[in-house]
Amino acid sequence: KITVRVKPGLPIGPVLQRLRIKVDDKIVESIELPIMANVVSDLSIIGGAEFDSKINMLDWGLVSREQGRVSRLFIVVKGDHRQQVKLAVEHIDPENALQVVIGEAKNPGAQVLTFPVTVELAPDSPSVSRLGGNQGLAEVVLSTQHPTAKQLRFRVKFAVN
């Protein structure tokens, strides 16, 4: 039996790591075990069919330069600190291609708050590929002012053609 304890402060969302264990064996020096987890908090992201909440990724694929692309996500906030949450865009990569707008919370006095978030790739955006690989994926980081979940991140997979 192996128990893995995680210190507080991991970013919200999926965690994919490997644990290497050295063994006392002449044939095998070490064993690698995959560690898959999902760090949850009072904040979560929901979206349509193009958003995978298991890995916090918006998958646009190939986007027409002439048309651009717009998606609407929702940040759901629950828990005792929900009234303290103030969302703001902290970082966008690539900032010259993506625009992110956070709307006002819906039902501000309710047990669960919902913030609409619009993610846009404007028509005539520069040529960019963020399909993974060497270029990586685009990333959006939101600050939250929540006492323990200070940031919320999601990735965007796309290429402008």
Side-chain angles (χ1 to χ4, degrees):
K1 177 180 175 181
I2 297 174
T3 302
V4 177
R5 288 199 172 91
V6 179
K7 293 181 179 179
L10 282 176
I12 299 165
V15 175
L16 303 170
Q17 295 288 323
R18 294 199 173 276
L19 175 65
R20 181 174 290 158
I21 303 170
K22 291 185 179 183
V23 294
D24 190 18
D25 189 8
K26 293 179 182 178
I27 298 172
V28 177
E29 288 183 19
S30 64
I31 299 172
E32 278 195 10
L33 299 173
I35 304 287
M36 295 177 282
N38 190 30
V39 179
V40 296
S41 78
D42 291 345
L43 291 92
S44 59
I45 305 173
I46 57 174
E50 61 203 358
F51 186 76
D52 186 340
S53 61
K54 292 178 186 167
I55 57 174
N56 277 1
M57 187 176 73
L58 184 59
D59 189 349
W60 283 343
L62 295 177
V63 179
S64 164
R65 179 186 310 274
E66 293 78 31
Q67 293 181 339
R69 187 77 184 256
V70 177
S71 289
R72 189 140 182 181
L73 304 174
F74 296 91
I75 309 297
V76 178
V77 184
K78 58 186 178 185
D80 295 338
H81 303 289
R82 69 187 175 281
Q83 298 301 333
Q84 295 171 309
V85 171
K86 306 278 188 271
L87 297 176
V89 176
E90 186 173 309
H91 179 72
I92 301 174
D93 176 34
E95 63 183 327
N96 66 337
L98 293 176
Q99 297 173 355
V100 177
V101 177
I102 302 167
E104 293 295 318
K106 306 291 182 200
N107 302 321
Q111 294 293 316
V112 176
L113 302 180
T114 305
F115 292 86
V117 176
T118 303
V119 183
E120 179 177 8
L121 179 70
D124 298 321
S125 290
S127 179
V128 63
S129 176
R130 290 301 181 95
L131 294 171
N134 291 340
Q135 294 293 329
L137 299 169
E139 184 177 51
V140 176
V141 180
L142 306 177
S143 61
T144 69
Q145 295 188 13
H146 188 279
T148 58
K150 298 184 184 308
Q151 292 180 327
L152 190 59
R153 299 170 183 263
F154 63 92
R155 296 174 295 170
V156 184
K157 183 178 181 179
F158 72 97
V160 176
N161 64 359

